[in-house]
Amino acid sequence: METVSMQNLRFDAHGLIPAVVQDAETNQVLMLAYMNAESLQLTMETKETYFWSRSRQELWHKGATSGNIQRVVEIRVDCDADSLLIRVNPEGPSCHTGEQSCFYRAYKS
Amino acid sequence: METVSMQNLRFDAHGLIPAVVQDAETNQVLMLAYMNAESLQLTMETKETYFWSRSRQELWHKGATSGNIQRVVEIRVDCDADSLLIRVNPEGPSCHTGEQSCFYRAYKS
């Protein structure tokens, strides 16, 4: 499979790239969060997900407090190299509400 | 299921919200794109995906030229109401490269 490295990723003006997190076994989409270069590097080194919290403006180790860490199986890059797909084995629910996925509500116009 | 309406979505400073597109049958993640209020409304009305192209700065009917439209099955909203999950039945490949998914490459640090 073709690969993409850090220097070819297109981070946005804030140095961030959106990361879709997907359960590698069920294929359920769990959440969307943002990574900067540091959090991506930590994710690769530890094989656990790290993100950049835009609201708290700090590095965020997913599951550090809740215990619901996400073990990384693989990371994919899209055709424009401006978004990531992180396939994981989650230790528990990915949403802070206790739901398995953050996408537990329906849109209704 | 709990629902979220347009006025409760949190669009960003550019009036956009990221939308993860997933195959409703296989659960494969196909692409990540951005919607504004108008494209979301058109998506709901037509049950085909419309996005906002940030590079071309224009409304974009997915598949209008390629024929590879995406028929919308359901739209989910995440816990922060700042990202969408669009579950679709795609008519063909979702990537302009001809790949089924835009996430066809692996990240390698």
Side-chain angles (χ1 to χ4, degrees):
Chain A
M1 187 185 294
E2 201 185 329
T3 60
V4 180
S5 58
M6 178 76 82
Q7 61 265 33
N8 294 115
L9 291 183
R10 290 167 58 203
F11 292 91
D12 71 11
H14 304 284
L16 301 178
I17 190 166
V20 180
V21 183
Q22 182 180 35
D23 188 310
E25 275 187 28
T26 66
N27 279 337
Q28 185 180 23
V29 173
L30 302 173
M31 55 189 278
L32 185 145
Y34 295 83
M35 287 185 167
N36 59 9
E38 187 187 5
S39 64
L40 176 55
Q41 217 149 14
L42 279 166
T43 297
M44 289 299 284
E45 283 169 23
T46 63
K47 296 287 175 196
E48 298 179 6
T49 54
Y50 283 76
F51 302 100
W52 177 257
S53 168
R54 297 177 307 164
S55 53
R56 297 192 304 272
Q57 289 284 302
E58 63 180 26
L59 204 68
W60 159 40
H61 178 198
K62 175 72 187 162
T65 52
S66 67
N68 300 327
I69 61 169
Q70 298 167 331
R71 299 191 191 283
V72 176
V73 176
E74 61 167 343
I75 300 182
R76 299 292 196 94
V77 181
D78 79 347
C79 52
D80 293 328
D82 63 1
S83 53
L84 302 174
L85 174 64
I86 321 277
R87 291 175 50 81
V88 304
N89 289 324
E91 287 283 303
S94 287
C95 190
H96 72 284
T97 60
E99 299 277 350
Q100 196 63 25
S101 162
C102 291
F103 294 96
Y104 62 91
R105 297 181 296 177
Y107 176 72
K108 191 163 176 288
S109 57
Chain B
M1 187 186 291
E2 202 184 329
T3 60
V4 179
S5 58
M6 179 76 83
Q7 62 265 34
N8 294 116
L9 291 181
R10 289 166 60 202
F11 293 92
D12 72 10
H14 304 285
L16 301 178
I17 190 166
V20 180
V21 183
Q22 181 180 35
D23 188 309
E25 274 186 29
T26 65
N27 279 336
Q28 186 180 24
V29 173
L30 302 173
M31 55 187 280
L32 186 145
Y34 294 83
M35 287 185 167
N36 60 9
E38 187 187 4
S39 65
L40 177 54
Q41 217 148 15
L42 279 166
T43 298
M44 288 300 283
E45 283 169 22
T46 62
K47 296 287 176 196
E48 298 180 4
T49 54
Y50 283 75
F51 302 100
W52 177 257
S53 167
R54 296 178 307 165
S55 54
R56 297 191 306 271
Q57 288 284 302
E58 63 180 25
L59 204 68
W60 159 41
H61 179 198
K62 174 73 186 160
T65 52
S66 66
N68 300 327
I69 61 169
Q70 299 168 331
R71 299 192 191 281
V72 176
V73 176
E74 59 167 345
I75 302 182
R76 299 292 197 94
V77 181
D78 78 347
C79 53
D80 293 328
D82 62 0
S83 54
L84 301 174
L85 174 64
I86 320 277
R87 292 175 49 82
V88 304
N89 289 324
E91 286 285 302
S94 287
C95 190
H96 72 282
T97 60
E99 300 276 351
Q100 196 64 22
S101 162
C102 293
F103 294 97
Y104 62 91
R105 299 180 295 176
Y107 176 73
K108 191 162 177 286
S109 59

